[in-house]
Amino acid sequence: MKICIYGAGSIGCYLGGRLAAAGADVDFIVRPKIQQQLQQYGLIVSDYLANKQTIPITKLQLSNDPNIAAQADLILVCVKSAATEQVAQALKGVLKKKTIVISFQNGLSNVDLLKQILPEQTILAGMVPFNVAALGNGVFHQGTDGTLYVKQHAALTELVAAFKNAKLELKLEQDMQAIQWAKLLLNLNNAVNALSQLPLKQQLSIRAYRQCLAMAQQEALSLLKIAKIKPAQLTAIPANLVPSVLRLPNFIFSLVSKKMLAIDPLARSSMADDLLTGRATEIDWINGEVVRLANQLSLNAPINEKLIELIKQAEITPKVWSAEALIAELKTVNKAG
């Protein structure tokens, strides 16, 4: 099976690197900047358990030409959500009819968009639960734990085996909507983390920041309940109980959180990286999904709307928000709503 990673950023390089290190046949479609970095340093993948693997440039198949996807049996789309339409158009007319395309992207709308533009391909939703940080010099580091999910399909036996060989747990799931919403609830922390500009572990150790996340999650959970959507349980704690855990005093949270998620000091959100490097964030595909759900229900989502507003302001004029300032801002919006 030939696998093609379209969008070799943090997630694409990490997944592709783990697969390639385990002997899978992987092509990477990369931007020139990443290609230059990998050609100089090779690809190094590490994780929070102190595992580290190096794939030398001699064993990397890199290209910036979308046409190499024609050779693939399976495409893993790992680009930012804003680039989904561009990628789909580039693949249109290139892929074989039997090619399977898996969207390993944030948000809930990418699969539908890919299906619209690539109607002859099998398009499946995927979910990456863990955080990957690009540390420079070809190093991509998995900073949190979690199990990968893909929409159940009969043709994925070989892919599951490839991931198992790479020591990455991959589960096939029928109800991907529940999985994606559960991941999105966790991803609501991306905005809080980006505004704090702290490593994830440090940010989550501060109660006021956690309370900000709890407010955003509670708002989303209330809307999901009205919409009769039950998010899956991705952590040791059910999604509907997570806001209560986040609000706990620090000394209690530090005990309980060990069962929620393993996080190492290097982990940070991709949204924080985007702000630091001046790139547009994926806020519209994370908190924006909550706002869209509210609109569909003829309701409002003032907390998530405010976080979108603050992130978009930070994209133009960077600003670090203290925990006290951010929670005060969100509480004001909540009272007004």
Side-chain angles (χ1 to χ4, degrees), residues 1-149:
M1 179 179 61
K2 177 173 275 294
I3 300 169
C4 177
I5 306 289
Y6 201 126
S10 296
I11 295 295
C13 280
Y14 184 78
L15 294 181
R18 290 287 298 267
L19 290 167
D25 186 0
V26 183
D27 284 336
F28 295 82
I29 298 178
V30 297
R31 299 189 308 274
K33 185 177 179 180
I34 295 291
Q35 185 172 6
Q36 183 179 6
Q37 183 182 150
L38 297 181
Q39 286 173 335
Q40 182 176 354
Y41 299 102
L43 176 56
I44 301 135
V45 290
S46 60
D47 67 22
Y48 64 100
L49 297 173
N51 296 309
K52 187 175 181 180
Q53 295 170 294
T54 300
I55 305 94
I57 182 59
T58 53
K59 293 188 177 180
L60 288 174
Q61 299 168 169
L62 309 174
S63 177
N64 53 28
D65 183 4
N67 288 304
I68 69 163
Q71 308 166 27
D73 302 300
L74 190 142
I75 310 286
L76 305 185
V77 176
C78 302
V79 298
K80 297 282 189 180
S81 296
T84 302
E85 182 174 0
Q86 178 186 346
V87 167
Q89 294 292 354
L91 292 174
K92 190 176 182 179
V94 171
L95 300 182
K96 297 175 287 189
K97 287 188 179 182
K98 64 179 180 179
T99 306
I100 294 175
V101 178
I102 298 175
S103 166
F104 274 128
Q105 300 168 273
N106 284 325
L108 291 91
S109 57
N110 292 300
V111 168
D112 288 341
L113 182 55
L114 288 167
K115 285 180 177 179
Q116 288 172 21
I117 300 173
L118 302 170
E120 295 185 342
Q121 271 68 48
T122 299
I123 314 294
L124 303 174
M127 190 278 284
V128 179
F130 45 73
N131 167 277
V132 176
L135 303 182
N137 298 341
V139 180
F140 295 87
H141 181 78
Q142 178 187 343
T144 58
D145 70 351
T147 299
L148 294 154
Y149 283 87

Side-chain angles (χ1 to χ4, degrees), residues 103-219:
S103 166
F104 274 128
Q105 300 168 273
N106 284 325
L108 291 91
S109 57
N110 292 300
V111 168
D112 288 341
L113 182 55
L114 288 167
K115 285 180 177 179
Q116 288 172 21
I117 300 173
L118 302 170
E120 295 185 342
Q121 271 68 48
T122 299
I123 314 294
L124 303 174
M127 190 278 284
V128 179
F130 45 73
N131 167 277
V132 176
L135 303 182
N137 298 341
V139 180
F140 295 87
H141 181 78
Q142 178 187 343
T144 58
D145 70 351
T147 299
L148 294 154
Y149 283 87
V150 174
K151 174 77 173 181
Q152 194 166 33
H153 192 279
L156 294 181
T157 303
E158 200 171 346
L159 179 69
V160 173
F163 272 91
K164 184 177 181 180
N165 195 39
K167 294 183 171 59
L168 284 170
E169 187 177 8
L170 175 68
K171 289 186 178 179
L172 302 185
E173 173 64 44
Q174 188 60 38
D175 185 5
M176 281 302 295
Q177 183 189 52
I179 296 290
Q180 288 177 305
W181 270 111
K183 167 69 185 308
L184 190 135
L185 287 167
L186 298 175
N187 274 354
L188 293 179
N189 188 54
N190 287 12
V192 179
N193 179 252
L195 293 170
S196 77
Q197 284 300 316
L198 295 173
L200 279 167
K201 193 167 188 176
Q202 184 180 351
Q203 175 242 313
L204 287 170
S205 72
I206 300 170
R207 189 184 187 194
Y209 280 134
R210 296 198 307 273
Q211 289 173 313
C212 293
L213 171 57
M215 292 167 73
Q217 286 190 346
Q218 194 61 64
E219 184 174 81

